[in-house]
């Protein structure tokens, strides 16, 4: 692997081979998502606890100070909206040159396996990997799940493996039963999305189950920034991912921090 690419990936995935990525890219097709109405307000307090920040270039430019040392994972696919009938209708939306100008540590693109535009999104992933390899920028493949897809190990394993075969340097997917099979069959690191907001303890259990079944970490959004106490939540997630904390201990930590904050 090229030294620059390796170095960038090592900035995201820490020495313990784990990572807590903070995903705030939802607006690229959802618009002003709950909790991200004013992105700067949401991002700033969480940034010190994120191993990387995943977002679009518009939010990076407007809502993140350029003196940050937190690695940026730039979403470079889009072109659809929540109103689209076909969510897989995505293309590459940012050139590699602009990603480099923005000094990103990785770029991210969604693939839609089994959906109408499967072919285009998978070929786009390959093209992005070619560009990334040229300049030493790692590529994160996001295995987006169409409305009608079942999130099981067979389907997610297929998506992750295809992403890795196309050359993605790491993959983001969903946690599922038999998740270890998904990880085993994917030769690059796998991180999980948090999904829709759930009670904090459930989201912590999701992070625990994922890392204890082989995930490199989380790329979590709504379960952090939509929490009543986002900072307490990201700290609790960190305890699971980086300190191998058990769910009950991480939840205690969350509750304790919450209490302190409300004093
Ligand atoms: C989805 O395509 C986006 O990449 C989201 O940022 C991602 O799914 C992670 O966010 P959440 O934890 O809210 O699911």
């Amino acid at each position: 692997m090229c030294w620059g690419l390796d170095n960038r990936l090592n900035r995201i995935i820490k020495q313990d081979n784990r990572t807590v990525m903070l995903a705030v890219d939802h607006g690229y097709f959802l618009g002003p998502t709950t909790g991200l109405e004013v992105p700067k307000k949401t991002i700033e307090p969480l940034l010190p606890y994120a191993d990387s920040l995943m977002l679009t270039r518009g939010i990076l430019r407007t809502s993140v100070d350029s003196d940050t040392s937190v690695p940026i994972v730039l979403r470079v696919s889009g072109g659809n909206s929540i109103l689209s009938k076909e969510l897989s209708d995505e293309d590459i939306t940012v050139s590699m040159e602009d990603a480099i100008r923005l000094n990103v540590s990785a770029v991210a693109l969604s693939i839609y396996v089994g959906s109408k535009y499967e072919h285009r999104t998978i070929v786009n992933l390959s093209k992005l990997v070619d560009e990334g390899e040229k300049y030493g920028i790692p590529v994160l493949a996001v295995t987006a799940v169409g409305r009608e897809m079942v999130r099981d190990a067979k389907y997610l394993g297929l998506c992750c493996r295809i992403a890795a075969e196309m050359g993605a340097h790491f993959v983001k997917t969903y946690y599922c039963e038999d998740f270890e099979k998904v990880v085993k069959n994917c030769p690059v690191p796998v991180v999980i999305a948090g999904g829709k907001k759930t009670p904090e303890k459930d989201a912590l259990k999701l992070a625990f189950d994922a890392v204890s079944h082989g995930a490199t970490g989380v790329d979590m959004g709504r379960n952090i920034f939509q929490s009543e106490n986002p900072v307490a939540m990201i700290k609790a997630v960190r305890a699971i991912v980086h300190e191998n904390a058990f769910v009950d201990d991480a939840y205690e930590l969350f509750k304790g921090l919450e209490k302190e904050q409300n004093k």
Side-chain angles (χ1 to χ4, degrees):
M1 206 187 273
C2 144
W3 192 92
L5 195 149
D6 217 11
N7 177 258
R8 288 187 178 92
L9 203 51
N10 282 328
R11 296 190 63 222
I12 299 165
I13 300 172
K14 300 301 178 190
Q15 277 201 326
D16 59 0
N17 257 321
R18 293 271 175 89
T19 188
V20 174
M21 304 171 63
L22 177 64
V24 290
D25 61 325
H26 304 61
Y28 92 94
F29 79 109
L30 290 174
T33 313
T34 305
L36 285 178
E37 294 86 349
V38 184
K40 194 176 175 69
K41 224 172 118 187
T42 306
I43 294 168
E44 251 173 23
L46 294 170
L47 208 48
Y49 310 102
D51 292 328
S52 70
L53 187 62
M54 181 192 186
L55 75 182
T56 59
R57 67 176 163 191
I59 299 305
L60 178 63
R61 285 182 189 144
T62 56
S63 312
V64 182
D65 292 338
S66 57
D67 63 357
T68 186
S69 57
V70 175
I72 300 300
V73 178
L74 189 70
R75 170 168 282 281
V76 299
S77 73
N80 59 8
S81 84
I82 189 66
L83 304 179
S84 308
K85 288 204 172 62
E86 183 49 61
L87 285 181
S88 68
D89 194 4
E90 281 197 7
D91 227 320
I92 295 177
T93 52
V94 181
S95 68
M96 193 55 80
E97 286 72 18
D98 203 36
I100 293 165
R101 263 195 296 276
L102 292 165
N103 198 29
V104 305
S105 294
V107 288
L109 167 143
S110 294
I111 58 167
Y112 289 81
V113 175
S115 294
K116 187 171 175 194
Y117 295 102
E118 163 188 279
H119 171 78
R120 188 207 298 155
T121 60
I122 293 175
V123 172
N124 279 344
L125 171 62
S126 300
K127 288 181 183 163
L128 193 65
V129 171
D130 281 341
E131 288 290 291
E133 290 286 341
K134 207 187 297 179
Y135 299 106
I137 309 285
V139 174
L140 172 67
V142 180
T143 69
V145 179
R147 288 188 179 108
E148 65 290 354
M149 304 298 173
V150 185
R151 295 182 190 190
D152 61 15
K154 197 171 173 204
Y155 173 69
L156 296 174
L158 173 79
C159 301
C160 289
R161 181 57 178 263
I162 290 173
E165 299 265 355
M166 292 302 114
H169 303 95
F170 56 143
V171 176
K172 169 175 170 174
T173 193
Y174 291 91
Y175 181 72
C176 61
E177 212 173 295
D178 296 326
F179 188 70
E180 60 281 2
K181 283 191 195 154
V182 175
V183 175
K184 191 173 149 231
N185 292 325
C186 180
V188 295
V190 178
V191 295
I192 61 136
K196 280 191 184 143
K197 172 79 176 73
T198 54
E200 278 77 4
K201 198 168 183 180
D202 294 351
L204 293 171
K205 184 173 175 338
L206 178 77
F208 179 84
D209 288 344
V211 293
S212 50
H213 289 93
T216 296
V218 299
D219 185 12
M220 197 176 260
R222 288 163 289 180
N223 275 294
I224 292 175
F225 64 72
Q226 291 179 352
S227 166
E228 283 296 304
N229 288 279
V231 171
M233 187 58 184
I234 196 169
K235 285 183 173 176
V237 172
R238 286 192 74 80
I240 285 176
V241 173
H242 286 300
E243 291 156 37
N244 292 316
F246 290 113
V247 178
D248 284 345
D249 298 330
Y251 188 61
E252 278 309 303
L253 174 70
F254 171 78
K255 295 301 281 177
L257 291 166
E258 192 178 43
K259 208 180 277 174
E260 230 169 75
Q261 221 168 282
N262 295 337
K263 260 185 196 167

